[in-house]
Every structure is written in C-alpha cells, then in structure tokens.
Amino acid sequence: MEEREGGFRKETVERLLRLHFRDGRTRVNGDALLLMAELLKVFVREAAARAARQAQAEDLEKVDIEHVEKVLPQLLLDF
Amino acid sequence: GSEAAGGEQRELLIQRLRAAVHYTTGALAQDVAEDKGVLFSKQTVAAISEITFRQAENFARDLEMFARHAKRSTITSEDVKLLARRSNSLLKYITQKSDELASSNMEQKEKKKKKSSAAKGRKTEENETPVTESEDSNMA
C-alpha cells in the first residue's frame, strides 16, 4: 500500500502515536502504521463530510465551526 | 537542567506534529469540499485538525493497551482492527485494508523465496522449496 495524495505520512503517524505511549518499549509495526494512517484519513474525511452535510441541510454552502460542533458527538461515538 | 530541555523538545515536537496534521487535514478537507461543492472556513479546518490530533492520543493509548493485553510490546494490525470495532463499515474497511497488506506482504515473501532458492541452485531445504520446484515443473 503506497502513500496516496492527501494522506498521513507513515513517519507522522509513528511520531504522533509514540508521543502518547506510556511505556518506553511500545512500538508499532509497519502494517499497523499504514492502517492507522488510513484510519486517521477516514476520521478526517468523515468529520469534514458530516460537517458539510450538516451545512447543506441548513441550506448553506459554507461550512463553519458550529456545523462541526453539531456532528462531533456522533463522530466520536462512531470512532 | 535536562528535564527542562526535554520539555522544550517535546513542545517543539508537538508543534510540528500539529502542523503536519493540520496540513493533511487541509488537503483532505479540500477533497471533500470539491466532492460536495462546499467551502470550509479556515476555523473549521483548524477545528477538525485539532480534534484529529486529540483523537490520535486516545487511539495511541488504546492501541498500547490492546498490545499489552495480548502481552506484546509491538502494536499490530490486530490491535488496529480492535480500535475500529465501533462502526461495522469502518471495521470492514480496515479489515479489507489489512487483508490487502497481508497478501502484498506474502507476495513479497514469495518473490524473495524464489530468488533465494534460485540463487542456491539445487541445494534445497526440506519443507518449502519442493513446492516451488513442482510449480516450475508443472508448466500449467
């Protein structure tokens, strides 16, 4: 699986996760890193898409913070 | 002393990671904007980026615990699948990606095996190479 356009770099994901590990021995294997890059990408796209749909439901073309706020609870529950 | 320096280092790292996440969030939001014919305000992109950054912390801690629960210190695909358990479609998607990775890994291993057994010439090892040899002679 190559890195695609507009995705998270493997290195970024690795550092991002390692930042929060509590045990110094914890590592992430290559496949898991690639999967996490996918997961984060899906997360961002979902957040954006849901906020967009919310704005559109309100007949708006511009997506603003309040649209994100409205979709955030369900988003977090789904992840 | 060194602890203060460590704290600064960490802060710098956090800033860089935030920036990296923000950049990618912007790119992905742009894709979605084009798909749906909307515009995202700058604050919206920043908010999604921040939420993602925070969510990554939860992910990291969960993953670490899953691995530890399985008595491992290395996080694997299985742990990521567990992370994706709350939504059926998400789990399906991640499992699919995981399977794609696994089969491309196997292909790589097969290639390496064939190369190394060819390089070794007739000297074969007990279990695995006979399979390759019979494939060669089958010509199917």
Side-chain angles (χ1 to χ4, degrees):
Chain A
M1 195 196 288
E2 322 91 48
E3 287 180 27
R4 288 173 215 153
E5 285 262 56
F8 288 96
R9 290 175 61 227
K10 210 168 163 181
E11 204 183 335
T12 305
V13 177
E14 214 256 322
R15 288 185 184 156
L16 192 51
L17 295 175
R18 200 152 27 94
L19 187 66
H20 303 294
F21 291 154
R22 287 179 163 138
D23 190 329
R25 292 164 301 179
T26 304
R27 302 280 177 273
V28 194
N29 82 10
D31 283 2
L33 276 179
L34 289 173
L35 288 179
M36 279 311 296
E38 277 300 312
L39 188 64
L40 286 166
K41 179 171 156 184
V42 171
F43 184 83
V44 171
R45 293 188 63 109
E46 263 312 290
R50 291 184 192 195
R53 263 176 264 148
Q54 181 61 41
Q56 286 172 323
E58 296 173 19
D59 261 325
L60 298 165
E61 269 182 14
K62 188 147 184 241
V63 190
D64 268 310
I65 294 235
E66 56 261 29
H67 305 125
V68 177
E69 283 170 5
K70 283 181 189 161
V71 303
L72 187 57
Q74 191 59 49
L75 178 71
L76 294 179
L77 283 173
D78 288 342
F79 276 85
Chain B
S2 64
E3 265 187 38
E8 258 183 59
Q9 286 266 35
R10 190 180 166 85
E11 279 313 308
L12 277 173
L13 176 61
I14 289 174
Q15 269 183 51
R16 272 171 43 207
L17 287 173
R18 269 217 172 91
V21 172
H22 188 261
Y23 177 78
T24 303
T25 299
L28 292 170
Q30 183 57 34
D31 287 348
V32 175
E34 283 168 19
D35 275 351
K36 295 203 167 271
V38 295
L39 277 172
F40 287 98
S41 71
K42 272 202 278 189
Q43 296 90 338
T44 302
V45 174
I48 295 176
S49 167
E50 185 58 27
I51 292 164
T52 304
F53 190 82
R54 290 212 211 129
Q55 191 63 5
E57 176 169 355
N58 291 336
F59 288 159
R61 300 218 166 143
D62 283 356
L63 288 170
E64 186 175 42
M65 285 217 193
F66 295 156
R68 189 193 187 126
H69 183 70
K71 299 195 173 30
R72 284 184 269 103
S73 51
T74 300
I75 292 163
T76 67
S77 305
E78 292 311 299
D79 302 317
V80 180
K81 282 186 214 171
L82 253 186
L83 201 58
R85 69 196 178 286
R86 290 203 180 93
S87 151
N88 283 334
S89 56
L90 181 63
L91 180 57
K92 194 170 170 195
Y93 180 75
I94 293 295
T95 303
Q96 194 180 307
K97 290 290 169 194
S98 175
D99 291 346
E100 283 171 22
L101 278 174
S103 64
S104 95
N105 286 344
M106 269 180 63
E107 274 178 41
Q108 299 275 17
K109 281 189 188 158
E110 288 301 306
K111 280 186 195 163
K112 280 186 187 166
K113 256 192 237 169
K114 284 190 175 167
K115 266 192 200 165
S116 73
S117 66
K120 282 182 194 158
R122 281 300 147 194
K123 283 243 150 95
T124 62
E125 267 147 19
E126 302 182 282
N127 6 19
E128 288 152 331
T129 348
V131 179
T132 345
E133 286 198 313
S134 67
E135 271 178 29
D136 288 346
S137 62
N138 266 347
M139 296 194 300

